[in-house]
Amino acid sequence: MPKPNKTSVTNVVDNKDDRVLAKALVERKLLTLQQAKSALAELQNGEASKTLEQYLIESGTVAEEAILEVKASLWNVPFIDLKNYEVDPEVLDIIPSQMAKKYNFFPLFRIDGTLLIAMTDPKNIKIIDEVTQVTQLEISPALSSKDAVTDAIQRYYGVQEDETIVTEVPNEDLQDILEIIEAEEEQEDEEKSSADLERLAEDAPVVKMTNMVLIQSIVEGASDVHFNPEEDQLRVRYRVDGILRDSHHLPRNLQQAVISRIKILANLDIAENRIPQDGQMRLRLKDGRQIDIRVSTLPSAYGENVVLRILDKSAALLKLENLGFEEDVFDLTARLLSNAYGIILVTGPTGSGKTTTLYAALNRLNSIEKNVITLEDPIEYRLPLIRQSQVNHKAGMTFAKGLRAILRQDPDIVMVGEIRDSETANIAVQAALTGHLVLSTLHTNDAAGAVTRLEEMGIEPFLISTAVLGVQAQRLVRKICPDCKEEYKPNYDIPEDVLESFGLESEAESLKFYRGKGCKRCNQTGYRGRMSLMEVLPMTDGIRELVLKSASSEVIKRVAIQEGMRPLIEDGWIKVLKGITTLDEVMRVTNINSD
């Protein structure tokens, strides 16, 4: 009996595809022979449900793109990186979106009678035959990653043609649509089958009404839309400039139809209403814009509560200069971002604009010479040239694990959506100390609190003082509507310490203050749009010395102010004195009572 060949991987496992791939990777020097044998043995012993490809990618041994290029070569098909591929828009009409989504392939271009499509499995003859029958074209398959194909389908197909929504709110009044629905059918509030729900959701007046609600929310600049079931109605509320307000009250008997319509658009299970669901949809507007919407459902006492998060892609293209920085604070932030390594943190509560600030910073830093990688939960906006990764807890892709993998990708700049635990904090600090510029967020009330928060996560003070470049705390305030702006006299006294800090104690009586009277453009609120209040704490020698002594956040903040840091409240007063926002608004977001 011949002895096993010690230079071969074929005697380790019986999976032919894995053996062929392992041999090819070794031949191309992407794996050593020992690595290949170990990986195959590991799969045989404890990872039988995985392929070699999945094992190597998840363990970080070989990059996914390198494996796909090898597989493409083995199968004699081209490898297509869809992230950098210009799609011919005319081919989108050749393939129905339902077919592309069902079989997870994407059409690339057509030459005469041949259509090139990107697939995750170019050997699947069944799919190729079916596409051939539908298109009456010869199909030439190419290989691409599953995530890239799925993303391309969502990005280019979005919603189907009959779901394309116009930018204008329809001429009909909502009440007219409701009357049409009620005249057609009085719907009973009872459990319905999946087929019944789908029929209701596709009813023309329901489609029109749902479109109207969504488009009106976009026109009014809402960041979120809430569909709240109540005992006798479905309440619709928009969050505009950070404040929820009533928009529509729909009859209770339309609740299932409207929510089912939203779930269909978001590819959710319309028959499942006992557990939370998460999905997303994309609206393609007739002016060419695409609006991404995240959908979340939650069972409640009177039915499913649905919240839509509207993601305006223009927010991802904001420049740092447009966020509301005062000139001196902007210069300080720009100096911090010019460092080659270290950590810059942005802090504040949920909804304070931290992610927008990070995207604006990345836009400033982004260049062809820099390898910029992000780890987000979830990815809210797609940025050109930047490699963006998403946390996936179900698959074991945590912030900590993802950050470790990113550091093996030769990054210059790393953006971590949020530092939530000590493991992520430790890796971020080590990354900063080994030559990477790290941007991230923390949930603290002010800039000084970020230092003590890192200490609570187990980071040694000497590491914090060395790694952290600076911390920016921020809040969002509503801006006075320019169309109804008026001068007024506040009915309470301005704190003396604020006046003293600006040298205005002798001019208190002559100061001018403004507010919005309320008009149609601002929906009678007096506000339209938002901007940031900011305080920036740089890691100076004085602050560094306090950090090494584990000083409290109160002490750090007091010394930082003495060194020139302008706290949030004072940044707010500058905006008030400039007539950009109101006293009430600044006091609201900084938790100061005006009474």
Side-chain angles (χ1 to χ4, degrees):
M1 183 176 181
K3 294 181 179 180
N5 182 0
K6 293 185 178 180
T7 62
S8 171
V9 297
T10 60
N11 60 316
V12 180
V13 293
D14 296 327
N15 188 316
K16 181 180 178 182
D17 289 340
D18 281 352
R19 285 190 279 111
V20 171
L21 178 59
K23 182 179 179 181
L25 291 171
V26 171
E27 289 175 349
R28 289 164 175 77
K29 298 183 179 180
L30 294 170
L31 275 182
T32 65
L33 181 61
Q34 186 56 47
Q35 284 177 318
K37 286 184 175 182
S38 297
L40 292 170
E42 184 75 22
L43 289 171
Q44 186 181 44
N45 293 332
E47 298 285 356
S49 62
K50 291 183 180 179
T51 63
L52 177 64
E53 177 182 354
Q54 292 170 327
Y55 178 84
L56 294 176
I57 293 172
E58 291 178 10
S59 64
T61 307
V62 184
E64 181 181 26
E65 185 172 321
I67 292 178
L68 292 176
E69 288 177 348
V70 170
K71 289 177 66 176
S73 176
L74 290 172
W75 295 343
N76 198 29
V77 297
F79 166 68
I80 301 292
D81 183 359
L82 288 176
K83 295 189 294 291
N84 303 314
Y85 194 87
E86 284 294 328
V87 174
D88 180 359
E90 293 184 2
V91 303
L92 299 178
D93 296 328
I94 299 176
I95 299 293
S97 62
Q98 299 95 326
M99 173 176 277
K101 291 175 182 177
K102 179 179 179 181
Y103 294 120
N104 204 45
F105 72 87
F106 188 77
L108 297 172
F109 61 84
R110 173 184 176 179
I111 299 179
D112 297 327
T114 301
L115 176 67
L116 179 69
I117 64 173
M119 305 176 64
T120 56
D121 183 10
K123 297 187 299 179
N124 194 319
I125 303 301
K126 180 182 177 181
I127 294 177
I128 294 174
D129 286 345
E130 188 161 339
V131 178
T132 300
Q133 291 178 10
V134 170
T135 63
Q136 297 298 304
L137 296 171
E138 182 180 342
I139 302 303
S140 176
L143 178 64
S144 189
S145 73
K146 181 179 179 180
D147 288 344
V149 172
T150 301
D151 181 68
I153 291 171
Q154 293 176 345
R155 186 168 1 122
Y156 287 97
Y157 278 112
V159 296
Q160 300 180 27
E161 284 306 308
D162 62 342
E163 295 166 358
T164 300
I165 300 175
V166 297
T167 52
E168 305 86 7
V169 177
N171 292 328
E172 297 98 328
D173 186 83
L174 183 62
Q175 190 58 44
D176 295 336
I177 299 177
L178 293 176
E179 289 176 358
I180 292 172
I181 296 174
E182 291 174 354
E184 289 183 350
E185 181 179 6
E186 184 69 23
Q187 300 170 19
E188 296 295 332
D189 184 19
E190 59 183 19
E191 287 296 318
K192 294 179 173 61
S193 69
S194 177
D196 289 337
L197 290 173
E198 190 167 348
R199 178 181 57 80
L200 290 174
E202 297 294 348
D203 192 48
V206 172
V207 171
K208 184 179 291 187
M209 180 176 61
T210 307
N211 289 356
M212 175 185 288
V213 170
L214 294 178
I215 289 303
Q216 185 174 327
S217 71
I218 295 169
V219 170
E220 293 189 14
S223 60
D224 303 85
V225 182
H226 291 237
F227 292 84
N228 305 138
E230 297 180 357
E231 185 176 8
D232 57 352
Q233 65 180 347
L234 177 63
R235 185 188 299 271
V236 181
R237 295 188 292 171
Y238 296 158
R239 187 180 294 279
V240 180
D241 295 334
I243 305 296
L244 272 174
R245 66 186 190 212
D246 258 355
S247 176
H248 307 293
H249 293 185
L250 305 181
R252 166 80 179 183
N253 59 8
L254 295 181
Q255 176 178 315
Q256 288 186 330
V258 172
I259 290 178
S260 294
R261 177 63 184 167
I262 293 169
K263 291 171 74 173
I264 286 174
L265 291 173
N267 292 316
L268 299 179
D269 184 352
I270 60 174
E272 179 59 75
N273 56 19
R274 299 162 298 176
I275 60 174
Q277 295 188 68
D278 294 296
Q280 60 185 21
M281 62 172 114
R282 174 169 291 158
L283 306 184
R284 186 182 297 123
L285 308 183
K286 286 191 174 179
D287 63 0
R289 287 188 299 155
Q290 289 184 340
I291 304 295
D292 288 335
I293 299 178
R294 291 209 312 265
V295 180
S296 171
T297 73
L298 179 71
S300 69
Y302 295 110
E304 287 182 284
N305 194 76
V306 178
V307 177
L308 313 184
R309 168 61 59 88
I310 299 173
L311 301 175
D312 183 359
K313 290 181 179 294
S314 63
L317 303 176
L318 280 176
K319 293 184 177 180
L320 214 57
E321 296 92 320
N322 299 334
L323 296 184
F325 286 93
E326 296 303 317
E327 185 175 354
D328 57 341
V329 178
F330 174 81
D331 291 342
L332 173 57
T333 302
R335 287 200 302 274
L336 293 177
L337 289 171
S338 67
N339 284 273
Y341 57 89
I343 297 177
I344 299 173
L345 297 170
V346 181
T347 74
T350 300
S352 58
K354 299 187 296 296
T355 301
T356 299
T357 298
L358 287 180
Y359 278 132
L362 290 179
N363 282 329
R364 182 178 181 85
L365 296 169
N366 196 11
S367 71
I368 196 68
E369 294 85 12
K370 300 286 186 182
N371 183 20
V372 184
I373 306 179
T374 73
L375 182 61
E376 306 172 55
D377 185 23
I379 297 172
E380 294 195 358
Y381 307 103
R382 308 286 178 172
L383 300 173
L385 197 61
I386 293 176
R387 304 299 96 195
Q388 295 176 266
S389 303
Q390 181 164 319
V391 169
N392 187 335
H393 293 285
K394 289 182 179 179
M397 176 72 161
T398 61
F399 273 113
K401 188 172 182 179
L403 186 50
R404 285 197 191 92
I406 284 175
L407 296 179
R408 294 192 289 268
Q409 294 281 310
D410 185 34
D412 297 294
I413 300 166
V414 177
M415 190 270 270
V416 182
E418 183 182 348
I419 295 178
R420 297 179 178 175
D421 52 61
S422 57
E423 188 178 9
T424 306
N426 271 291
I427 300 170
V429 167
Q430 292 303 319
L433 295 175
T434 53
H436 306 89
L437 182 62
V438 180
L439 310 180
S440 191
T441 70
L442 274 177
H443 279 284
T444 61
N445 290 327
D446 57 16
V451 175
T452 53
R453 181 76 182 99
L454 288 175
E455 286 189 26
E456 291 169 0
M457 288 181 171
I459 308 300
E460 294 292 340
F462 76 92
L463 292 176
I464 297 173
S465 66
T466 305
V468 176
L469 297 170
V471 184
Q472 173 180 308
Q474 65 182 60
R475 300 289 189 278
L476 290 178
V477 291
R478 293 178 293 173
K479 296 192 293 185
I480 298 171
C481 175
D483 292 311
C484 59
K485 184 176 179 179
E486 66 175 8
E487 186 179 339
Y488 84 113
K489 179 72 175 177
N491 58 2
Y492 46 83
D493 294 329
I494 304 168
E496 290 185 8
D497 59 335
V498 173
L499 293 173
E500 289 174 3
S501 66
F502 290 104
L504 298 172
E505 58 268 32
S506 62
E507 305 175 33
E509 293 300 321
S510 62
L511 293 177
K512 293 183 178 180
F513 296 92
Y514 297 88
R515 65 183 177 188
K517 185 178 180 181
C519 65
K520 186 176 180 181
R521 292 293 302 278
C522 64
N523 203 30
Q524 306 304 322
T525 63
Y527 297 98
R528 197 163 87 240
R530 290 192 290 179
M531 69 184 308
S532 298
L533 304 185
M534 303 172 186
E535 65 180 27
V536 179
L537 187 158
M539 188 62 71
T540 63
D541 291 339
I543 300 299
R544 188 172 288 111
E545 185 175 337
L546 292 175
V547 174
L548 290 171
K549 294 178 180 178
S550 295
S552 67
S553 60
E554 290 80 7
V555 173
I556 293 174
K557 182 174 184 176
R558 184 168 63 250
V559 173
I561 292 173
Q562 292 172 357
E563 291 186 350
M565 183 187 81
R566 184 185 300 118
L568 285 167
I569 181 66
E570 290 192 14
D571 194 50
W573 281 102
I574 290 177
K575 270 73 172 178
V576 170
L577 295 172
K578 287 183 175 181
I580 300 173
T581 189
T582 65
L583 282 167
D584 289 336
E585 187 67 4
V586 170
M587 291 176 174
R588 178 182 68 84
V589 302
T590 54
N591 296 319
I592 294 178
N593 197 331
S594 61
D595 294 335

